[in-house]
Amino acid sequence: MTRHLLDLAELSTSDLLEIIDLARVPAGHELSQQSVAMFFEKPSGRTRNATEMAVVDLGGHPVMITQGEVGIDTRESAEDVARTLGSFHRILAARVNDHGVLVRMKEALSSPPWNVSVVNLLSDVSHPCQAIADVLTMLDEFGDGRSMSALHGKRLCYVGDANNVTLSLAQASLQLGIDVRIAAPQGYQFSSEVLDDLADLGASAGASVLQTSDLAEAADNADVLYSDVWTSMGQEAEHDQRLNDLSGYGIDAALLAYANPDAVVLHCLPAHRGEEITDEVLEGPQSRIWQQVAHRRTAMRGVFRWLLSDGEGS
Ligand code: CP
Ligand code: NVA
């Protein structure tokens, strides 16, 4: 069966572990004579470069496509764009405004003769490939890059807007036994339904999730502090309101003092220094942001390899 990656909640823990294992295999030839369509409806620095270079690492050919070229649901439907790209490429990797477009693309390619995998490079709902890079970074820090069990019982504190990055990060962390604490003000927290789903995801790994507006409670004894922008792409009209409402929900030296002394700081980037994270912390000795950026490419190698295998025997 053709594999897709739209959201980590659709993956089993063994799928996630398989992706992580495959990510750590050096470059190969798995995409030889094959190509990957990279469709971007929003800007990207890291994801575009990491994805393109991961395709090259596996001997494939990447083709970059923008909304201006294909015009999803303006020039033609998302389904017809997906099938057109699927006529040329083995994988369709897409960054979209509306997660529903990814679902429609996947459905359009889900019956024979298509054998095309759809992968989410960020939507309004989730950012799964970022979370895989985040786990790889945490493994380097706590597991010597290898031992998954080293992550069990670690505590991750996310500070700021509970958004697409937060969801995937929480899903991956909980599946791997990392306790998750989310500090966000009212109005910027996950709904109780999302929180219940996250709690269920963590239950089998013995990991818990807590959402609070109390920053100190969330950061207490944390092993990882994580933040993301207060205004995501597409929310620019809400910028001033968000700046006001989320003020204080960032990582600074005072918050870091609540965490474990050897805690590390992660941020998916781009960062707005002085808002969700201070320059001092971002550039400080506990920051691992550039290792995290480099792992975007490692993570994509794992994702592509996993998509290319049919799941038999896994
Ligand atoms: N972290 C991340 O996805 O960065 P880009 O938006 O630059 O791709
Ligand atoms: N939450 C941010 C992440 C950027 C990588 C956004 O969606 O813009």
Side-chain angles (χ1 to χ4, degrees):
M1 231 171 93
T2 308
R3 285 176 154 174
H4 305 276
L5 176 53
L6 266 52
D7 196 284
L8 291 177
E10 294 162 7
L11 261 55
S12 66
T13 303
S14 68
D15 286 328
L16 180 58
L17 292 171
E18 194 184 336
I19 292 174
I20 291 164
D21 274 348
L22 291 170
R24 290 183 286 182
V25 175
H29 303 283
E30 292 86 341
L31 274 168
S32 174
Q33 303 300 317
Q34 300 188 83
S35 58
V36 174
M38 306 190 310
F39 169 71
F40 283 83
E41 223 178 351
K42 302 183 187 190
S44 170
R46 284 146 288 271
T47 308
R48 185 258 159 99
N49 282 280
T51 305
E52 183 158 342
M53 292 316 298
V55 176
V56 172
D57 287 343
L58 299 184
H61 182 86
V63 177
M64 174 78 179
I65 300 131
T66 61
Q67 170 68 348
E69 294 165 87
V70 290
I72 286 199
D73 290 335
T74 53
R75 188 167 185 264
E76 57 189 326
S77 69
E79 288 80 0
D80 285 355
V81 171
R83 292 191 195 109
T84 298
L85 296 176
S87 301
F88 302 105
H89 307 289
R90 172 61 183 82
I91 295 172
L92 167 50
R95 169 168 287 197
V96 296
N97 291 316
D98 172 9
H99 192 83
V101 166
L102 290 173
V103 175
R104 287 168 58 203
M105 288 174 146
K106 175 181 143 180
E107 280 168 4
L109 295 167
S110 62
S111 45
W114 306 106
N115 179 28
V116 181
S117 299
V118 179
V119 53
N120 177 4
L121 295 183
L122 182 146
S123 72
D124 54 334
V125 172
S126 56
H127 197 1
C129 298
Q130 174 71 52
I132 293 161
D134 300 340
V135 168
L136 288 165
T137 313
M138 289 190 258
L139 267 176
D140 280 351
E141 198 61 33
F142 303 115
D144 201 15
R146 287 180 292 277
S147 167
M148 295 300 303
S149 60
L151 297 183
H152 252 265
K154 292 288 177 195
R155 182 175 291 187
L156 178 143
C157 166
Y158 176 90
V159 183
D161 178 30
N163 62 16
N164 47 1
V165 166
T166 327
L167 183 67
S168 296
L169 175 70
Q171 289 167 336
S173 300
L174 289 164
Q175 284 199 333
L176 299 176
I178 301 169
D179 292 319
V180 173
R181 305 285 177 260
I182 300 165
Q186 295 292 333
Y188 295 88
Q189 299 186 343
F190 285 136
S191 66
S192 54
E193 290 80 14
V194 170
L195 217 53
D196 287 349
D197 287 346
L198 288 174
D200 287 347
L201 212 52
S204 52
S208 66
V209 57
L210 171 100
Q211 183 168 250
T212 173
S213 54
D214 185 335
L215 284 155
E217 181 187 17
D220 185 45
N221 278 320
D223 300 292
V224 181
L225 289 183
Y226 197 117
S227 195
D228 181 20
V229 291
W230 290 338
T231 303
S232 286
M233 291 179 275
Q235 298 173 330
E236 290 78 9
E238 301 169 18
H239 177 259
D240 292 351
Q241 184 70 47
R242 287 175 164 270
L243 203 58
N244 183 60
D245 296 346
L246 284 148
S247 174
Y249 283 86
I251 306 177
D252 58 13
L255 194 74
L256 202 48
Y258 287 105
N260 280 336
D262 58 354
V264 294
V265 174
L266 301 181
H267 190 305
C268 59
L269 302 178
H272 289 174
R273 295 161 192 249
E275 293 183 13
E276 80 282 352
I277 192 162
T278 61
D279 194 42
E280 181 192 10
V281 171
L282 204 64
E283 297 296 338
Q286 288 165 274
S287 170
R288 297 291 181 274
I289 56 166
W290 300 116
Q291 290 91 327
Q292 207 182 345
V293 170
H295 269 314
R296 295 299 310 279
R297 178 175 178 174
T298 327
M300 289 316 296
R301 290 204 296 261
V303 169
F304 288 145
R305 286 183 171 121
W306 180 81
L307 291 172
L308 290 168
S309 68
D310 60 9
E312 278 174 27
S314 66

